[in-house]
């Protein structure tokens, strides 16, 4: 689903958009783990990265749209205070009043939530990058003849005790 188009058409779609991306975040966290056949994981990784990076870009676009809307709301409130207030206000006074406007505060909260979501998606992209690096090293070790590499979890503490 193209969430940017839905949100930019009607901002009331934002809660469903957030739900969608949080659900996808849970699925993406599973894709960061290395398990099963390393060759299959290596072959699937470019498609996973492309899909998840596109989702991150859509989140970035929605976040920018929300920032544009925030500027519009601030401008409207600023104009209200500058033109319709009972006494003449300085620009700085208007800024202070605008910061306390309910619409401005609400939009800043929404932007903060979306920025947090974006940062979690950046973590997913970083995790996929590290996964690629680890898979590459496992494949290189196998190619050099070290067959003990499984690509799965190893209990290093148990291995260390068995050597001692």
């Amino acid at each position: 689903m193209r969430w940017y188009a839905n949100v930019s058409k009607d901002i009331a779609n934002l809660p469903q958009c957030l739900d969608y991306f949080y659900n996808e975040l849970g699925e993406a966290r599973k894709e960061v783990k290395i398990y099963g056949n390393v060759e299959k994981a290596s072959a699937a990784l470019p498609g996973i990265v492309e899909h998840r990076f596109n989702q991150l870009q859509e989140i970035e676009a929605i976040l920018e749209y929300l920032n544009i809307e925030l500027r519009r709301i601030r401008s409207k409130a600023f104009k209200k205070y500058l033109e319709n207030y009972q006494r003449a206000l300085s620009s700085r006074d208007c800024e202070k009043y605008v910061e306390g406007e309910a619409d401005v505060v609400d939009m800043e909260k929404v932007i903060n939530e979306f920025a947090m979501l974006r940062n979690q998606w950046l973590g997913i992209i970083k995790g996929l990058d590290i996964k690629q690096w680890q898979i590459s090293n496992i494949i290189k070790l196998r190619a050099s003849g070290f067959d003990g590499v499984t690509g799965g979890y190893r209990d290093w503490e148990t291995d260390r005790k068995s050597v001692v």
Side-chain angles (χ1 to χ4, degrees):
M1 178 172 249
R2 303 286 306 164
W3 282 106
Y4 176 78
N6 287 347
V7 170
S8 63
K9 206 180 303 178
D10 184 6
I11 204 161
N13 291 323
L14 203 55
Q16 296 92 349
C17 176
L18 277 167
D19 289 344
Y20 171 78
F21 281 114
Y22 276 121
N23 289 335
E24 286 292 301
L25 184 65
E27 292 299 313
R29 284 189 174 122
K30 295 174 189 172
E31 295 171 345
V32 171
K33 296 178 182 173
I34 297 176
Y35 55 89
N37 186 308
V38 176
E39 287 79 10
K40 286 181 182 178
S42 179
L45 195 56
I48 292 169
V49 170
E50 185 267 340
H51 177 65
R52 298 307 181 186
F53 188 75
N54 285 342
Q55 288 178 316
L56 173 62
Q57 293 306 303
E58 191 163 20
I59 290 168
E60 291 277 2
I62 293 168
L63 187 57
E64 182 59 29
Y65 172 77
L66 294 174
N67 280 310
I68 291 167
E69 284 297 307
L70 176 62
R71 288 192 296 270
R72 185 184 60 75
I73 292 168
R74 275 190 176 148
S75 175
K76 188 176 175 182
F78 188 86
K79 186 176 179 182
K80 177 183 82 172
Y81 283 110
L82 197 58
E83 294 177 356
N84 300 328
Y85 204 69
Q86 295 168 346
R87 65 181 177 93
L89 295 174
S90 69
S91 293
R92 185 71 185 132
D93 290 337
C94 290
E95 283 286 329
K96 288 291 184 186
Y97 287 138
V98 166
E99 290 300 316
E101 281 286 313
D103 290 345
V104 172
V105 172
D106 291 343
M107 183 57 86
E108 287 175 342
K109 288 177 181 177
V110 169
I111 288 171
N112 190 48
E113 169 98 16
F114 232 85
M116 185 177 69
L117 175 67
R118 186 244 353 246
N119 292 342
Q120 291 174 336
W121 276 93
L122 287 170
I124 293 295
I125 297 301
K126 182 71 175 171
L128 290 171
D129 186 39
I130 292 169
K131 178 179 180 176
Q132 180 274 328
W133 183 80
Q134 288 179 333
I135 287 174
S136 175
N137 284 341
I138 291 168
I139 291 172
K140 286 176 187 175
L141 285 170
R142 283 186 180 172
S144 68
F146 186 67
D147 292 332
V149 179
T150 61
Y153 172 77
R154 292 191 52 167
D155 187 352
W156 297 107
E157 189 63 27
T158 303
D159 290 350
R160 186 181 66 76
K161 287 178 184 174
S162 66
V163 173
V164 176

